[in-house]
Structure formats: C-alpha cells, structure tokens
Amino acid sequence: ECRTQQYNSDTAATAYELPALCLKSPHNITLVFKQITNFIREINNVINMTGTQLIPLQHFLNEFVDNKFLPTLQSKVKKDIAEATEGNSGLNTVKPPATKMGWPRPLLQGTLKVQEELAELRALMNRMPKYCSKFLEIIYDVLKSYKKICHNTFSNIVGINVIGSQPTVCHHWFKDEKLKQIVRQLPGWSEMNKGVISDQIATHALLVTAINNHLGKEVLEKDAMIADSERLIQLAQLQDSISWLIQYVDSFVENLQCDKELQEQLTGGNVKLVEDCRNLLNERMGELIQLAEDCLMILYLEIRVQCYYHLLIVLRKQEYKVD
C-alpha cells in the first residue's frame, strides 16, 4: 500500500501500459475482420438477435469500415498510383524483366505499381468478403485511371498533345480504317489478335497500294516521323506493359468466375450481378486492349514511313539511279 502511494497517477498509467502489437493504422482491421465477424455471429446466435438489430461491436465495425477504412484505402490507392506515374515518369522508368511473373521483357514501373494495387485489392476481397463490391469499385477506378495515363503518354509520344508539334504521318494513317484493316490481316499481327491469314501476298500488295495512295509523290520531311528512336522504344514498352497487365486482369476475371464463395459474398447469389461485375471488368480490359493495339499499329505504320523516307533519299541520289 505504501509502495503504491509512491506513484502518481501518470506514472501508474505508464507502468500498466501494454506495448502495441502493431503500429496504429486503419488497415489493421483487414487482419482481424473475419475473426471479429465470426465472433459477432456467435454472439448473435447465442442471444438470438435478428432483423436490423445490431450489437454495439457490429455497429462499431460497420462504422469503422465505412467511414474510416474505405476512405483511407481509396485515398492511399489514388496517391500511390499518382506517385508511381507522376509526370508520366513511371511510364518512362523501366524495370528488369518480370520473369517471376511469366513475362520475359522489361516492364514499366507505373504498370507494375498498378498490378500491385490490383493484387492487394484482390487479397482484401478474400479477407473482407462482405465488402467485395466496394473493392471492385476501386478496381474499376484504378483501371480507368491507368488507361487515361497510358493514353496521355501515347498521345505525347505520337505528338498529338505536344504544343508546337504537328501529328506525324503515321498518325494521319492511323485514322484510315481501311488501312488499319489491311494491317490487321498481315503476318505478325495475327499473333496478337489470334486471327487467320488467308492470303499473305495479296494482303501485302493491298498494304503497299494503300501506302502509295497516302504518300503519292509527296516529299516526306524528317519532322513528319518519330525521328527519336527512344520515343519508339518507349511506345513499344508501353504496348508491352499494357499487354502484360491485360493478361493479369484477364486471369483476375477468370478467377472471379471460378470463385463461387466470393461470388456469393459479392452478389448474394444473384447471377445477374455476377455477370454485371464481369462485364464491367471486361469493359475496362477492352479499353486497354484497344490502346495496346493502337500502340502496335502506330509502331507498325511508323516503321514503314521511315523505310519510305530513307529509301526515297537513296533513290533520289544519282549514283543509285538505274535505267
């Protein structure tokens, strides 16, 4: 008793303060959510609470997740992606080949960050299945933001958004749907789109004719091309990284289709809602597929523009002319 009186209230509070098991963070709820939910279910079974009645712990959990955790998560994801692609630098920085992820070539840092965020959101769907629909909404937003950032990068490389620069010749060609349709039938293109080449020689002839019609006797200037090879490499890396992310999203959708337990949590067994979720993800993926094809199309056409440019220079020189 005498010994207790030697401590003032502040000292006593400090003496009995337990060390924290982890740092304070709204994300800690993800580690114990299932356990707390199961505990609440057991309590409800014992006291037979039904309907809209909630025990205080359930009320607190709902309030915390809705008002604290989810807003914090959305802000964090948005901030992380913004930092990874700030000034498009994340789409200029190349990381080593992602061999562990089944991709033999380098990938852009910003794309890897997007994939990390998607993987974390997928893990949260397992840890907190009650909020699957909320996590899917964030995933939709992530893919939409990524597509917008990639499209801006694509436009800057081609010269559409660069002040004082004129769009390149291949960008004008890019608007010709007939020419693009011919290109899609060529060898090499079918590997990406899994098409069938019926007559390669005839298709090449159509392409040559179409290009000649576009160029005519026009004299190509150097600024009508993407003369900087680094920009072409960047465009190729952008296309490659988008294609890699498309594969990841595709496997994500397939996994969602196979996970019956997750579908039950997500939609309560409503087949239409499952289909809607899949369609939304496929829609986002379709936008990325189109952008990847646009990058490849520009590269394909740009190479041919540059071939024409350099061949015409050679042919105009007297020593190369023949009767």
Side-chain angles (χ1 to χ4, degrees), residues 266-314:
L266 179 62
T267 64
N270 188 320
V271 177
K272 185 179 185 304
L273 285 177
V274 174
E275 187 67 26
D276 289 345
C277 293
R278 188 164 58 245
N279 289 341
L280 281 170
L281 283 171
N282 284 331
E283 182 181 339
R284 292 282 179 263
M285 190 164 61
E287 294 171 352
L288 291 175
I289 291 172
Q290 182 60 56
L291 183 55
E293 182 179 305
D294 290 349
C295 291
L296 195 60
M297 182 69 71
I298 288 289
L299 284 168
Y300 200 98
L301 296 175
E302 180 64 30
I303 289 171
R304 279 141 187 80
V305 171
Q306 298 207 15
C307 285
Y308 267 75
Y309 173 78
H310 292 292
L311 284 172
L312 287 173
I313 290 177
V314 170

Side-chain angles (χ1 to χ4, degrees), residues 2 42 55 65 91 106 136 153 155 179 201 254 259 321:
C2 294
E42 290 175 8
I55 63 172
V65 173
L91 296 179
L136 274 176
T153 302
S155 299
L179 179 60
I201 296 176
E254 185 177 348
D259 195 331
K321 289 185 178 180

Side-chain angles (χ1 to χ4, degrees), residues 87-286:
N88 291 329
S89 61
L91 296 179
N92 295 330
T93 307
V94 179
K95 290 293 185 179
T99 51
K100 291 182 180 179
M101 302 171 122
W103 202 257
R105 296 179 293 279
L107 293 168
L108 297 176
Q109 177 178 295
T111 302
L112 286 170
K113 185 61 182 177
V114 169
Q115 186 273 336
E116 288 175 11
E117 296 292 342
L118 294 178
E120 177 60 24
L121 288 164
R122 179 64 183 87
L124 286 175
M125 292 172 73
N126 285 331
R127 293 180 197 163
M128 305 175 66
K130 179 181 176 182
Y131 293 91
C132 282
S133 59
K134 297 292 184 182
F135 299 138
L136 274 176
E137 288 176 11
I138 300 175
I139 288 171
Y140 301 148
D141 291 339
V142 167
L143 292 174
K144 184 177 180 180
S145 298
Y146 175 73
K147 186 259 179 182
K148 182 178 180 181
I149 293 167
C150 287
H151 188 271
N152 288 338
T153 302
F154 166 81
S155 299
N156 289 336
I157 293 172
V158 178
I160 302 172
N161 292 342
V162 180
I163 299 175
S165 68
Q166 295 295 324
T168 59
V169 169
C170 68
H171 179 251
H172 289 299
W173 292 3
F174 178 73
K175 297 178 180 179
D176 187 331
E177 288 299 328
K178 182 179 179 181
L179 179 60
K180 287 164 67 175
Q181 188 59 38
I182 294 172
V183 172
R184 291 188 185 103
Q185 298 174 40
L186 291 171
W189 195 266
S190 59
E191 184 178 353
M192 176 181 173
N193 294 315
K194 299 180 180 179
V196 178
I197 306 301
S198 55
D199 190 339
Q200 297 179 5
I201 296 176
T203 305
H204 274 295
L206 284 173
L207 179 61
V208 171
T209 301
I211 291 176
N212 280 329
N213 290 339
H214 273 277
L215 288 175
K217 298 191 179 293
E218 176 185 352
V219 177
L220 279 174
E221 301 295 337
K222 195 168 185 177
D223 59 3
M225 305 180 301
I226 303 177
D228 184 359
S229 61
E230 289 298 318
R231 288 169 62 193
L232 291 175
I233 292 171
Q234 185 185 1
L235 186 60
Q237 289 170 340
L238 179 65
Q239 189 275 334
D240 213 28
S241 292
I242 294 173
S243 297
W244 173 75
L245 190 67
I246 288 169
Q247 286 192 10
Y248 177 80
V249 176
D250 187 46
S251 65
F252 181 99
V253 175
E254 185 177 348
N255 179 266
L256 188 63
Q257 289 176 304
C258 298
D259 195 331
K260 301 301 181 183
E261 182 181 353
L262 192 62
Q263 289 185 22
E264 181 68 29
Q265 291 285 349
L266 179 62
T267 64
N270 188 320
V271 177
K272 185 179 185 304
L273 285 177
V274 174
E275 187 67 26
D276 289 345
C277 293
R278 188 164 58 245
N279 289 341
L280 281 170
L281 283 171
N282 284 331
E283 182 181 339
R284 292 282 179 263
M285 190 164 61

Side-chain angles (χ1 to χ4, degrees), residues 52-115:
T52 58
Q53 292 178 308
L54 294 176
I55 63 172
L57 181 57
Q58 178 72 73
H59 181 74
F60 166 79
L61 186 63
N62 293 348
E63 289 286 317
F64 181 83
V65 173
D66 291 336
N67 300 328
K68 185 68 175 177
F69 171 69
L70 288 176
T72 302
L73 177 66
Q74 288 174 314
S75 298
K76 177 185 177 297
V77 171
K78 187 176 181 180
K79 179 183 177 184
D80 288 347
I81 291 178
E83 289 178 351
T85 57
E86 186 175 3
N88 291 329
S89 61
L91 296 179
N92 295 330
T93 307
V94 179
K95 290 293 185 179
T99 51
K100 291 182 180 179
M101 302 171 122
W103 202 257
R105 296 179 293 279
L107 293 168
L108 297 176
Q109 177 178 295
T111 302
L112 286 170
K113 185 61 182 177
V114 169
Q115 186 273 336

